[in-house]
Amino acid sequence: MATVETLYLPHYPSYPIYISLFKNVSNAKFLRQQLLEANAAFEYAFLDGTMILSPRHLHAATFRALNDSVYNRLKSRNIHSELVFSLSPNNNIADAYRRFGIQDSTTSLLAIKIPLSNPEITAESVSKHLGDAVEGESVAFGEEALKGVTDVKALRKGVILGMMALKGT
Amino acid sequence: MSTAPPTIGATTPLPLPSPFTHSPLTLLTQGAEALVFRTTLLNAATPVALKYRPPKPYRHPLLDKRLTRARLLAEARVLVKCAREGVQVPEVVAVGVEEGWVALGWVEGGTVRGVLDGYTPSHPPSHPPGEQKDGQREEVLMGLMGRVGRAVGRMHEVGVCHGDLTTSNLMVRRKEGEKAQEHFETGGGHHTAGLEGLDGEIVLIDFGLATQSIQDEDRAVDLYVLERAFAATHPVAEPLFREVLRAYGESYKGAKVVLRRLEDVRMRGRKRSMLG
């Protein structure tokens, strides 16, 4: 069982969002492989925890993904990939995954699940599935927990370089 | 329009775009183009100002959509540019490009307009003129004007012209932990002798008419509009504005040229003569 935070964004009270944070993850390669194979059981946004500055940073991207999803104008395949894409300062989905998504070397993992209107998915089921699938130490998600995880230097590099690319186009 | 005009301060069920349709929003102010609400976004602890540009029923829907979209994007881009360059502006929290709204970070504080209304030296002599206090107040006020000048200068330096620079579009950010001051909220009327809240940094707001321009003419017009706003706010605001210009003149390279250009603009008004 993993610790799962249930988040409700203001103005979207009917869409729960499940967030869990893992440290010392050892099977990132396997998890990433599931994404690449589009394994339906692994419908998550797997993020590299080092690239998330604060809960608010994540909330902003989540809001954007959710809002676009409700309006049916996702630019990527599903809401979870859209979340990763929303974090990126540029318009390249693959690039967004490289910067913010899970890598084979990832040890700090953020897993986010947005079930939209699927009543079968609950905090419990997410917790159980993640607890089984992720080999790592589950920590409660929050400002403090993220602080120890974020790699500000890498983040700064990623975002600023992204912005420069944006400027250049 | 068939619906009654909303009143400021009321929680109103305006036909807002999703996801705000059913949220209780507090209407703060209404302009010709946009309505501004206070609400929260991302989490309950993050207050934002939601600026919504409702569709104009008298325009062709397609044209309306394009105009709204273009203006919204222009505003958001200018804000992001300012923020990146370190000009104090509210941050862009989220944008609904197609629906015509932008959520801006909440600036806690009051407008320079409110400060001027309550503070200018001519305010009622019913107030015993404790000389030392007056002198001190003057000093603090001048400091504030200096910061206004530098804030505007900084904005111009990065290549942004505001387009509607008035004293109501300049805010003084309240320092964290400081209590709300009455003179801020009420504008005129109340005048507390306190100096609190005047040492916050200047935040520029409302970039709805802003352009990315480095032309002296546009910059000078910005200053001219601000000058008129000062004059309109208070008849004896002139020495205050002189301080604004002084600080502006020192704020960046090229500011002096703009000040000279301001003389021309003063002579002829905001619009350039199209004759000859």
Side-chain angles (χ1 to χ4, degrees):
Chain A
M1 296 291 268
T3 317
V4 174
E5 194 209 66
T6 309
L7 166 76
Y8 292 93
L9 291 172
H11 309 292
Y12 278 119
S14 53
Y15 295 101
I17 292 146
Y18 303 117
I19 305 173
S20 28
L21 177 63
F22 295 89
K23 278 184 187 170
N24 306 320
V25 175
S26 55
N27 64 338
K29 193 169 183 178
F30 164 77
L31 296 169
R32 184 161 171 267
Q33 200 56 40
Q34 303 311 308
L35 283 190
L36 292 177
E37 287 167 9
N39 184 342
F42 283 81
E43 277 266 323
Y44 293 95
F46 283 131
L47 304 176
D48 193 319
T50 56
M51 294 299 276
I52 302 296
L53 185 64
S54 63
R56 209 178 144 190
H57 183 196
L58 181 67
H59 295 168
T62 313
F63 179 85
R64 188 170 149 191
L66 183 57
N67 194 46
D68 284 347
S69 161
V70 169
Y71 273 98
N72 247 333
R73 54 169 184 228
L74 293 184
K75 286 186 178 151
S76 55
R77 187 202 287 255
N78 61 38
I79 188 164
H80 297 107
S81 54
E82 194 74 10
L83 204 171
V84 182
F85 176 61
S86 296
L87 285 165
S88 172
N90 65 29
N91 240 338
N92 185 327
I93 298 171
D95 182 74
Y97 264 99
R98 262 198 304 279
R99 272 186 224 282
F100 296 96
I102 189 174
Q103 307 296 320
D104 287 352
S105 58
T106 295
T107 55
S108 303
L109 176 72
L110 259 172
I112 296 111
K113 178 91 175 169
I114 310 175
L116 291 174
S117 304
N118 185 345
E120 279 173 30
I121 299 166
T122 61
E124 297 245 306
S125 74
V126 171
S127 163
K128 188 166 185 327
H129 182 243
L130 280 178
D132 292 344
V134 181
E135 289 166 19
E137 174 197 342
S138 172
V139 245
F141 175 74
E143 190 109 40
E144 285 306 309
L146 260 184
K147 248 180 207 153
V149 168
T150 314
D151 182 351
V152 178
K153 217 169 142 193
L155 182 63
R156 185 165 291 187
K157 197 173 150 202
V159 173
I160 290 180
L161 283 182
M163 280 196 167
M164 302 260 273
L166 198 68
K167 246 181 169 176
T169 50
Chain B
M1 278 207 280
S2 56
T3 44
T7 34
I8 287 169
T11 34
T12 159
L14 261 180
L16 279 161
S18 157
F20 306 106
T21 320
H22 301 293
S23 315
L25 303 177
T26 317
L27 184 64
L28 297 174
T29 132
Q30 172 169 16
E33 298 269 331
L35 302 152
V36 179
F37 300 90
R38 184 192 162 118
T39 180
T40 55
L41 204 68
L42 308 188
N43 55 52
T46 312
V48 295
L50 184 75
K51 189 169 176 180
Y52 172 53
R53 293 169 174 268
K56 303 249 176 240
Y58 52 81
R59 280 199 296 233
H60 187 282
L62 193 67
L63 175 67
D64 184 68
K65 228 179 166 163
R66 277 196 201 170
L67 283 173
T68 304
R69 190 191 145 90
R71 286 172 189 174
L72 198 80
L73 278 177
E75 181 174 358
R77 285 197 180 117
V78 164
L79 282 169
V80 169
K81 177 173 180 169
C82 281
R84 189 166 52 211
E85 305 279 355
V87 185
Q88 287 295 326
V89 294
E91 75 268 26
V92 180
V93 179
V95 192
V97 178
E98 306 301 328
E99 298 79 58
W101 58 265
V102 54
L104 303 168
W106 188 258
V107 180
E108 200 61 57
T111 62
V112 170
R113 165 91 204 253
V115 173
L116 286 183
D117 281 351
Y119 271 88
T120 7
S122 80
H123 79 74
S126 65
H127 222 62
E131 263 171 41
Q132 202 193 348
K133 214 167 196 178
D134 269 9
Q136 198 189 349
R137 181 188 308 150
E138 201 80 330
E139 206 171 284
V140 173
L141 204 51
M142 281 302 177
L144 183 76
M145 293 305 123
R147 267 171 289 137
V148 169
R150 281 188 291 277
V152 176
R154 185 82 189 88
M155 176 187 70
H156 281 174
E157 188 180 6
V158 306
V160 172
C161 285
H162 187 285
D164 184 23
L165 206 53
T166 63
T167 44
S168 305
N169 286 340
L170 296 164
M171 290 189 74
V172 189
R173 178 171 280 159
R174 190 179 302 136
K175 291 194 175 155
E176 255 172 71
E178 214 163 27
K179 280 233 173 100
Q181 289 293 309
E182 216 174 348
H183 63 259
F184 274 141
E185 271 71 35
T186 50
H190 298 254
H191 40 80
T192 39
L195 302 163
E196 307 84 13
L198 290 191
D199 50 355
E201 42 181 14
I202 301 291
V203 184
L204 300 151
I205 59 163
D206 190 1
F207 283 72
L209 293 171
T211 47
Q212 305 210 21
S213 157
I214 49 162
Q215 287 194 14
D216 293 335
E217 173 71 19
D218 296 334
R219 291 170 171 173
V221 167
D222 255 5
L223 291 178
Y224 178 70
V225 172
L226 185 59
E227 183 171 36
R228 297 295 290 255
F230 263 80
T233 309
H234 215 288
V236 292
E238 211 207 312
L240 295 179
F241 192 68
R242 234 179 288 139
E243 172 65 13
V244 173
L245 289 185
R246 192 196 58 74
Y248 178 87
E250 292 170 0
S251 63
Y252 70 105
K253 211 175 141 221
K256 291 273 187 264
V257 188
V258 176
L259 289 181
R260 270 201 295 282
R261 187 59 165 264
L262 177 62
E263 308 277 322
D264 298 350
V265 179
R266 276 197 192 118
M267 301 285 284
R268 62 158 197 263
R270 189 166 59 87
K271 300 252 199 280
R272 214 200 277 241
S273 167
M274 287 300 164
L275 296 172

